[in-house]
Amino acid sequence: MKYISLILLISSSLFAIPRPSKNMMTTNGPLLKVRIGKSLGQITVRGENISRTFHPNNTFKIYKGPKKIKFNCDSLYQGMSRADNHPILLASMSSLTGPMFWNYDPYHGKFHLISVPKKKKCDLVQELSMESYLGSLLSKEVSSSWPVEVLKAQAVAARTYALHKLEESELKSDLNESSYFDLENSEKHQVNGSLQDITKKTLNAAMDTKGMILVTKQGSHLTPIFFHASCGGKTLRPNEVWENNVPGYESVSCEKCTDTMVEKWNNEISIVNFKNFLSWVAKERKVDSMATDIKNKEIMIAPDRKQNHVLRIYLGSNVYVINKTLLRRYFGRVKIRSNNFRLQYDDKKISLQGNGHGHGVGMCQIGALDLARKGWDYKKILAHYFPGHKLKKVY
């Protein structure tokens, strides 16, 4: 095992550390930088014939044969000054003859080690081509066993989202802001896997739609394309969930999610926790009168329906209109599985009855699966969930 200390390297001229370069185009699409490990104390990678660059002092080395390299991020910050509080590109590694391994999983492309000074940890970033990225993503975001037309639709949606995030990252770079990764491997952005998650079917779905993305019909703008597990019967527009308008989105019906019983859910919230939620809303929205009323007035909630997007909360003689999606933002995805729910109120608790799983915006994956089984191709599936968008080949 090869142990590497970064402490001495960090003390050398930090001003010379390069910023990430523009994403290059390859035969399999643009290169993406994906954060696969976040705020880690120790990172151990391995591979054969590893090429390794330390960027702080620009040293390069090739390790012949099998090699294991350990980075101790916990002790990395000893001796660093308070001025060193910006992320730093520490090291880049790749195998000249095969995959790189982390947590026993094989990965395509390069690894980059990034400092996280605020937490005194390190991030691990994978750099790989778009189509390789999608080949593993399809096994995670849906299932490699699903019909190929669903996989193609998912590939186009995920490619569009990734390309949008890549453009955001390049804009930050143009503004001289550090941008060491384009996406992270999580539900916050998209979930992708390792080399072992790529199958012939998922790779074919990515390659058969190579370069295909969704753009708005009017103006051909690149917008983030969203998807979720199941909508519960009808999809939502972005402004109904996140309060920001995204061009090209419309709410559409989803027959499968209307009929299915699999995605029905129930939960409860105590009155105390609901009052805490209202206090959070008052603080977030800077509504001083609401904060006062919560402490002094009795709570009443107007009758609710699943198709309602807002709640009407009565506190004494005052009425406050609150977006229902704020409940999911505050209580989390486990307590409130979707944004399609009905709320019932009594003196002791708040009861929730809902349908679906996920934020409900864009393509419903369960609905897309049903449509593919009925014989729809990926173009028709995407046209249903994104009627304000059109397909465009960009590479």
Side-chain angles (χ1 to χ4, degrees), residues 108-127:
H108 266 150
K110 292 183 179 180
F111 282 161
H112 299 292
L113 193 71
I114 314 297
S115 70
V116 187
K118 290 183 179 180
K119 296 185 178 180
K120 296 187 176 181
K121 302 289 183 181
C122 295
D123 286 345
L124 185 63
V125 173
Q126 179 193 14
E127 184 177 13

Side-chain angles (χ1 to χ4, degrees), residues 222-278:
L222 178 64
T223 63
I225 292 298
F226 301 106
F227 45 88
H228 57 278
S230 59
C231 64
K234 192 174 184 180
T235 66
L236 301 174
R237 299 187 304 274
N239 65 300
E240 294 173 322
V241 177
W242 302 297
E243 301 177 0
N244 61 309
N245 289 311
V246 180
Y249 274 89
E250 297 178 26
S251 177
V252 301
S253 61
C254 187
E255 180 182 342
K256 179 64 176 178
C257 276
T258 301
D259 297 337
T260 184
M261 297 293 292
V262 176
E263 295 296 335
K264 289 186 180 294
W265 54 270
N266 297 276
N267 224 318
E268 294 180 353
I269 299 170
S270 70
I271 297 297
V272 171
N273 285 337
F274 189 75
K275 285 184 177 180
N276 291 337
F277 160 71
L278 293 180

Side-chain angles (χ1 to χ4, degrees), residues 145 199 359:
S145 65
T199 69
H359 49 65

Side-chain angles (χ1 to χ4, degrees), residues 107-362:
Y107 289 87
H108 266 150
K110 292 183 179 180
F111 282 161
H112 299 292
L113 193 71
I114 314 297
S115 70
V116 187
K118 290 183 179 180
K119 296 185 178 180
K120 296 187 176 181
K121 302 289 183 181
C122 295
D123 286 345
L124 185 63
V125 173
Q126 179 193 14
E127 184 177 13
L128 75 169
S129 70
M130 176 73 80
E131 308 311 329
S132 294
Y133 168 74
L134 294 174
S136 67
L137 176 145
L138 294 177
S139 294
K140 294 293 188 178
E141 286 289 355
V142 283
S143 169
S144 60
S145 65
W146 284 13
V148 68
E149 295 303 318
V150 186
L151 299 183
K152 289 180 182 179
Q154 180 65 67
V156 173
R159 182 184 295 110
T160 309
Y161 183 86
L163 197 59
H164 182 267
K165 298 301 291 184
L166 188 152
E167 286 197 353
E168 284 187 344
S169 178
E170 289 186 346
L171 178 61
K172 288 181 180 179
S173 181
D174 289 339
L175 294 174
N176 206 33
E177 297 178 7
S178 297
S179 179
Y180 291 109
F181 62 92
D182 308 308
L183 302 118
E184 65 176 63
N185 179 20
S186 72
E187 290 184 0
K188 179 181 178 181
H189 291 161
Q190 300 183 141
V191 180
N192 67 293
S194 65
L195 186 58
Q196 63 188 9
D197 294 302
I198 300 176
T199 69
K200 182 179 180 180
K201 193 173 179 181
T202 62
L203 189 57
N204 285 343
M207 297 305 295
D208 288 346
T209 61
K210 182 178 176 181
M212 297 296 293
I213 64 169
L214 289 165
V215 296
T216 58
K217 286 184 176 179
Q218 296 182 345
S220 295
H221 292 140
L222 178 64
T223 63
I225 292 298
F226 301 106
F227 45 88
H228 57 278
S230 59
C231 64
K234 192 174 184 180
T235 66
L236 301 174
R237 299 187 304 274
N239 65 300
E240 294 173 322
V241 177
W242 302 297
E243 301 177 0
N244 61 309
N245 289 311
V246 180
Y249 274 89
E250 297 178 26
S251 177
V252 301
S253 61
C254 187
E255 180 182 342
K256 179 64 176 178
C257 276
T258 301
D259 297 337
T260 184
M261 297 293 292
V262 176
E263 295 296 335
K264 289 186 180 294
W265 54 270
N266 297 276
N267 224 318
E268 294 180 353
I269 299 170
S270 70
I271 297 297
V272 171
N273 285 337
F274 189 75
K275 285 184 177 180
N276 291 337
F277 160 71
L278 293 180
S279 297
W280 173 78
V281 173
K283 184 177 180 180
E284 286 286 305
R285 296 294 186 265
K286 296 181 171 61
V287 185
D288 294 336
S289 62
M290 182 177 173
T292 302
D293 287 344
I294 294 167
K295 297 178 182 178
N296 303 322
K297 306 294 184 181
E298 182 182 357
I299 296 176
M300 292 186 64
I301 304 175
D304 183 35
R305 297 183 300 170
K306 286 183 180 178
Q307 54 266 46
N308 291 351
H309 299 308
V310 297
L311 294 172
R312 298 180 70 85
I313 310 294
Y314 293 88
L315 298 170
S317 59
N318 293 330
V319 59
Y320 300 93
V321 179
I322 296 175
N323 194 320
K324 285 169 68 174
T325 58
L326 291 175
L327 282 159
R328 189 167 188 258
R329 193 182 306 176
Y330 180 82
F331 288 105
R333 302 168 184 173
V334 175
K335 176 75 75 173
I336 303 178
R337 294 179 61 187
S338 73
N339 285 310
N340 185 356
F341 62 89
R342 178 168 65 98
L343 184 149
Q344 289 184 307
Y345 166 80
D346 62 35
D347 293 336
K348 296 181 179 179
K349 65 181 184 302
I350 306 290
S351 299
L352 305 171
Q353 298 88 39
N355 292 72
H357 193 169
H359 49 65
V361 179

